């Protein structure tokens, strides 16, 4: 109980310090980190645990973002108090979309599954690009935002904490053990009586739910979204965060999201003349594949109790 109380106090203090002593640019970076961490966790759950290579998370994120934005504007009267309801609804819609996608897709695996999910993501982007009701190529603007950074940061921390805790519990549950079995050898798992397609489908639906959650939060953070916000590069960035942190490690996904959010911003002032991310991300991946192919954390998880114990020594 004490460690959870300490975590809550730390979040409150951090949020207050950021809101009082930093500018809007720094605050936006912290919110971006929360979004990136949620998306990395959602992808790692399906790619790291169930060994299902997906490149469609940008599409699921887009579904969540547009659903939350339209729902709040059309049905909630642009009331910021109802933002959590809209984000939850967006996550449910993304989960339904994930289920529909999984019906034909999970007869495939490996590169074929990656191609199918990538195609799905592009279909979603093209539909949004040609849908005038949501702004088409102009994008969807005037989306309701939280009235101040403190509320937005607190809501983001809440979403990230819920995402991590749910996936952490699932990882070490019977369902997580089923996913590990599929990861190691899906044929052997099926021989032992495991319904492999159904288990994969459930994992993908859970992953889609949290991708929609991240997308909904993203929309209400920026206040403006467009189809260009959910390109193939976004899916690649999410995948890089999952791989860099360690496939199968939820803690690693958060650490990698932290690195990949703050490092490009720290180097943005360099006079390169190009998007620094396009240089940093490949270099990080190459170095990781050479020096530590299992990722920063491998399959291990950080233990909050162990960290607190070491700090007390």
């Amino acid at each position: 109980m004490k460690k959870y109380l300490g975590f809550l106090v730390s979040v409150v203090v951090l949020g207050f310090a950021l809101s009082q002593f930093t500018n809007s640019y720094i605050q936006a970076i912290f919110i971006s980190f929360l979004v990136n961490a949620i998306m990395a966790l959602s992808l790692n759950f399906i790619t790291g645990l169930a060994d299902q290579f997906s490149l469609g998370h940008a599409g699921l994120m887009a579904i969540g973002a547009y659903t939350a934005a339209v729902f709040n504007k059309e049905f909630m009267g642009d009331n910021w108090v109802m933002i959590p309801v809209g984000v939850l609804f967006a996550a449910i819609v993304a989960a339904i979309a994930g289920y529909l996608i999984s019906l034909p897709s999970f007869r495939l695996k490996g590169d074929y599954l990656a191609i199918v999910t990538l195609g799905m993501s592009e279909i979603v982007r093209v539909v949004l690009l040609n849908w005038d009701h949501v702004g088409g190529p102009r994008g969807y603007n005037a989306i309701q935002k939280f009235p101040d950074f403190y509320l937005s940061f607190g809501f983001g921390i809440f979403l990230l904490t819920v995402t991590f805790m749910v996936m952490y519990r699932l990882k070490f549950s019977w369902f997580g053990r089923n996913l590990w079995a599929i990861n190691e050898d899906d044929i052997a798992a099926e021989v032992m009586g495991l319904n492999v397609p159904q288990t994969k489908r459930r994992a993908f639906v859970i992953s889609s739910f949290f991708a929609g959650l991240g997308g909904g939060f993203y929309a209400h953070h920026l206040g403006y979204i467009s189809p260009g916000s959910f390109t193939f590069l976004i899916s690649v960035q999410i995948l890089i965060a999952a791989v860099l942190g360690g496939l199968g490690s939820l803690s690693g996904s958060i650490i990698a999201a932290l690195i990949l959010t703050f490092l490009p911003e720290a180097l943005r002032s360099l006079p390169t003349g190009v998007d620094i991310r396009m240089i940093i991300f490949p270099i990080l991946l190459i170095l990781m594949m050479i020096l530590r192919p299992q990722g920063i954390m491998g399959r291990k998880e950080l233990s909050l109790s162990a960290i607190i114990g070491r700090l007390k020594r």
Side-chain angles (χ1 to χ4, degrees), residues 57-108:
H57 258 51
L60 295 169
M61 185 180 180
I63 291 173
Y66 274 89
T67 301
V70 172
F71 182 81
N72 188 267
K73 181 172 287 189
E74 300 289 341
F75 301 103
M76 297 290 107
D78 273 345
N79 186 352
W80 72 266
V81 178
M82 301 305 293
I83 288 178
V85 178
V87 172
L88 178 61
F89 180 70
I92 294 172
V93 171
I96 294 172
Y99 175 75
L100 295 176
I101 295 163
S102 71
L103 290 176
S105 300
F106 281 87
R107 298 176 183 176
L108 309 169

Side-chain angles (χ1 to χ4, degrees), residues 11-70:
V11 169
V12 171
V13 171
L14 177 61
F16 178 79
L18 290 173
S19 63
Q20 296 296 318
F21 303 110
T22 61
N23 55 34
S24 58
Y25 172 67
I26 301 297
Q27 294 170 2
I29 296 175
F30 271 90
I31 299 295
S32 296
F33 155 66
L34 298 177
V35 174
N36 293 337
I38 293 171
M39 296 305 302
L41 285 171
S42 68
L43 179 62
N44 205 347
F45 187 77
I46 184 67
T47 301
L49 270 66
D51 194 29
Q52 298 302 300
F53 188 34
S54 172
L55 286 174
H57 258 51
L60 295 169
M61 185 180 180
I63 291 173
Y66 274 89
T67 301
V70 172

Side-chain angles (χ1 to χ4, degrees), residues 42-57 102 105-115 117 178-179 181-186 196-197 199-204 207 239 242 247:
S42 68
L43 179 62
N44 205 347
F45 187 77
I46 184 67
T47 301
L49 270 66
D51 194 29
Q52 298 302 300
F53 188 34
S54 172
L55 286 174
H57 258 51
S102 71
S105 300
F106 281 87
R107 298 176 183 176
L108 309 169
K109 61 181 180 179
D111 297 340
Y112 298 103
L113 178 62
I115 293 170
T117 52
N178 289 346
L179 293 179
I182 294 172
N183 191 323
E184 295 296 333
D185 193 325
D186 55 351
V196 173
T199 303
K200 289 179 178 179
R201 194 171 295 120
R202 288 176 178 173
F204 193 76
S207 175
L239 178 62
L247 289 175

